[in-house]
Amino acid sequence: MELNLASEVLNAYGFTKKNTTITQIGTGLINCTYLLSPHAGNQKYILQQINIAVFKSPWAIAENLKAISDYLAQHHPDYLFIKPIPTIEGAEMAHINQEFWRLLPFVHHTVSLDVLTDPKQAFEAAKQFGKLSRLLNNFDTRTLEPTIPGFHDLGLRYKQFTQALSEAPAALREQAEIQIEDALNHKYILDYYTSYLQKDDFPDRVMHHDTKISNVLLDEKTFKGICVIDLDTIMPGKFISDLGDMMRTYLCACSENEIDLTRIKIRLPYFEAMIKGYLSEMKAILTATEKELMLFSGRYIIYMQALRFLSDFLNGNTYYPVSYPTQNLDRAKNQFQLLSEIAVNEKELQGIIEENLLY
Ligand code: GN1
Ligand code: MG
């Protein structure tokens, strides 16, 4: 397949189209990702084009990663942090024809999963994300620039939803009538969150902000967690972001693209493993308020994602790529169903959290 990739991008890193094989990989919705295999040597690389419609200041990503990487190298030198490889000229990214590209080392003997098929994977992944938060507990979050301002700000996402609603054509509003009701009826999640913002033990932390399972590399044989990847959205946030997105993406056997809502069920053993993995790193660090909000973090992130998909449907699918016109509406339905499954299982879920906070 002929790739739409300028030779200058490869040249910036000392490669050419002739001496490499390039294949598109990854399932992310935002950036384009390729596996680059030089014909000489065994080291492979990940080449990624940054979506600048989403990441409006790509240099902020590079600066954040550099600051974190320097901190980790100084304080936790054994930690494997996958940072971009500089271009031949020493730049953090290749800036070619208005495009931004970066090269990362491919971590050999690891796998990235798209779905979890064993609770142990939930434990390992949650431990990896928890570990990153723990190691960066004393890092000054104010030195980081938000790479997407207001990314996980539910207040902003709610505002964007009401804006999309007021501007959407009547036909789209009709199609989404039930989900619009759902969105309005769950606004208490935002109000509840807002009431916690004044608490002084609800700190900003360095958050990964995209903790789905494919963003953790596992050892290909033992399935032990090796490192986290996809670091564009590392920026300050509340602990809710990482734990909540794990709940959103680890608990159900199917993804946000599933349209058979009867398949959206919460797998309690995965929840328990995820909580254990996360707390194995974060129990001593979380504040009383954060511990109180653990289950709520799932509600917050699932509701926010439902709002984001619904808003995008109402806006005419301008953000998330779709393979059919109502896919973002279906994704929103899926997320609202998941949200109601959290409510159905609330007692058990909260019980698991409390039990694991005790020991
Ligand atoms: C986007 O592209 P991907 O899959 O890494 C999105 C996340 C959403 C996710 C939903 C920058 O992530 O916030 O949770 O889609 N990332 C951005 O699948 O918007
Ligand atoms: Mg991502």
Side-chain angles (χ1 to χ4, degrees):
M1 187 177 64
E2 187 54 36
L3 291 171
N4 189 16
L5 167 65
S7 309
E8 290 94 320
V9 174
L10 295 175
N11 302 161
Y13 291 103
F15 298 115
T16 63
K17 283 197 178 172
K18 279 216 174 97
N19 69 17
T20 53
T21 301
I22 299 169
T23 41
Q24 189 156 9
I25 55 163
T27 49
L29 296 177
I30 303 297
N31 293 325
C32 280
T33 307
Y34 303 91
L35 178 67
L36 184 149
S37 316
H39 297 156
N42 291 324
Q43 179 63 50
K44 295 180 180 176
Y45 300 89
I46 297 293
L47 182 66
Q48 247 186 349
Q49 181 181 8
I50 299 175
N51 180 335
I52 51 173
V54 171
F55 294 99
K56 299 209 162 66
S57 48
W59 292 110
I61 301 176
E63 271 157 37
N64 287 351
L65 294 188
K66 186 162 183 333
I68 290 172
S69 159
D70 289 351
Y71 177 91
L72 289 170
Q74 190 187 345
H75 297 276
H76 307 284
D78 294 335
Y79 181 72
L80 179 59
F81 187 71
I82 307 297
K83 60 171 194 239
I85 297 168
T87 65
I88 290 176
E89 290 182 353
E92 305 282 339
M93 283 178 292
H95 183 192
I96 310 256
N97 304 337
Q98 323 294 330
E99 294 175 358
F100 288 87
W101 292 81
R102 47 127 179 260
L103 190 73
L104 299 148
F106 178 81
V107 187
H108 289 265
H109 308 298
T110 61
V111 286
S112 146
L113 307 173
D114 280 327
V115 279
L116 296 99
T117 51
D118 186 327
K120 284 187 199 128
Q121 297 157 354
F123 178 91
E124 289 298 324
K127 186 172 176 60
Q128 283 299 315
F129 287 115
K131 183 175 179 183
L132 182 67
S133 301
R134 175 175 66 77
L135 298 184
L136 294 172
N137 189 35
N138 293 324
F139 181 93
D140 184 357
T141 56
R142 292 166 305 179
T143 62
L144 298 178
E145 203 181 310
T147 57
I148 302 178
F151 187 44
H152 278 192
D153 175 349
L154 187 55
L156 174 71
R157 297 304 185 181
Y158 191 81
K159 223 159 128 198
Q160 290 171 337
F161 157 68
T162 53
Q163 171 106 18
L165 185 57
S166 68
E167 290 168 6
L172 293 189
R173 284 205 312 266
E174 265 162 44
Q175 267 178 294
E177 202 182 336
I178 295 174
Q179 288 64 50
I180 292 169
E181 275 297 297
D182 274 341
L184 297 170
N185 286 339
H186 283 91
K187 178 167 176 278
Y188 67 87
I189 294 178
L190 169 59
D191 299 335
Y192 187 77
Y193 174 73
T194 310
S195 74
Y196 273 82
L197 282 177
Q198 302 310 320
K199 298 240 176 193
D200 50 18
D201 65 343
F202 194 22
D204 276 349
R205 298 186 177 280
V206 180
M207 285 288 106
H208 180 283
H209 283 105
D210 193 5
T211 55
K212 60 188 183 185
I213 192 69
S214 59
N215 284 340
V216 183
L217 299 183
L218 305 173
D219 182 287
E220 66 184 4
K221 288 209 182 89
T222 63
F223 289 94
K224 282 263 171 236
I226 301 294
C227 62
V228 303
I229 55 171
D230 192 9
L231 308 176
D232 301 329
T233 49
I234 289 201
M235 56 182 148
K238 300 295 182 193
F239 92 102
I240 282 183
S241 286
D242 285 4
L243 187 63
D245 206 38
M246 287 192 253
M247 285 191 209
R248 186 180 83 77
T249 53
Y250 297 1
L251 303 187
C252 177
C254 44
S255 79
E256 63 201 14
N257 292 314
E258 178 60 55
I259 55 170
D260 178 357
L261 299 186
T262 65
R263 292 195 58 214
I264 300 179
K265 294 275 175 264
I266 284 175
R267 302 176 293 182
L268 292 176
Y270 285 73
F271 181 79
E272 183 160 16
M274 184 199 80
I275 292 295
K276 281 191 190 317
Y278 185 71
L279 287 179
S280 71
E281 297 286 343
M282 286 297 282
K283 186 148 82 178
I285 287 176
L286 291 177
T287 67
T289 288
E290 289 174 321
K291 286 178 180 162
E292 197 183 320
L293 292 178
M294 282 175 73
L295 183 56
F296 176 78
S297 73
R299 291 203 152 112
Y300 179 102
I301 293 291
I302 296 167
Y303 176 49
M304 188 179 70
Q305 194 61 56
L307 286 180
R308 291 178 68 193
F309 285 142
L310 180 57
S311 306
D312 200 31
F313 171 75
L314 294 170
N315 286 333
N317 307 320
T318 57
Y319 190 86
Y320 291 112
V322 287
S323 42
Y324 57 93
T326 53
Q327 188 169 19
N328 275 320
L329 180 60
D330 282 343
R331 288 170 174 154
K333 284 183 196 169
N334 169 308
Q335 298 292 287
F336 280 121
Q337 182 66 29
L338 186 57
L339 194 53
S340 66
E341 284 298 308
I342 296 270
V344 168
N345 290 280
E346 178 167 6
K347 245 191 167 158
E348 286 85 345
L349 298 171
Q350 190 54 33
I352 290 170
I353 290 174
E354 279 163 25
E355 202 182 303
N356 282 282
L357 281 173
L358 281 181
Y359 306 109

